[in-house]
Amino acid sequence: ASVSTFDDKYAGAKADDAAADTYFTTGGRSKNAGDLYYSSSAGNVRIWNGSAWEDVAVSTSGFATAGFSIAMSIAL
C-alpha cells in the first residue's frame, strides 16, 4: 500500500496510544510501520514500529538541568 499524503501516516494530536489505534483502525485500515501521532498527554511524537508504539521525539528541556544537578552531587 502506498502513501498518497502525509495525512495517511499522521493521526494528529491524540491523548494516548489507544486513541491513535482507534484513529488508524477506523474504517478497516490497519496500522502500518511508520504511522505517527502526537501524544498530547506525554508531549511527544510516537511512531508505530510494526508491533508497538515508541517515542520518536521527546522534549530535552530538562536534560541539562538534571544532568548538571547529578554531576554536582557526585562532585561534591
Side-chain angles (χ1 to χ4, degrees):
S2 64
V3 176
S4 59
T5 67
F6 184 68
D7 289 342
D8 291 338
K9 299 297 274 179
Y10 181 64
K14 302 295 174 203
D16 54 28
D17 294 348
D21 288 344
T22 300
Y23 173 86
F24 285 112
T25 57
T26 298
R29 181 193 185 283
S30 301
K31 291 188 304 275
N32 296 306
D35 286 343
L36 300 162
Y37 83 96
Y38 175 77
S39 173
S40 56
S41 59
N44 59 29
V45 175
R46 294 183 55 81
I47 189 169
W48 181 252
N49 69 12
S51 60
W53 289 105
E54 59 184 47
D55 293 339
V56 173
V58 289
S59 173
T60 59
S61 62
F63 286 8
T65 302
F68 179 74
S69 295
I70 292 168
M72 290 306 292
S73 296
I74 293 169
L76 297 174

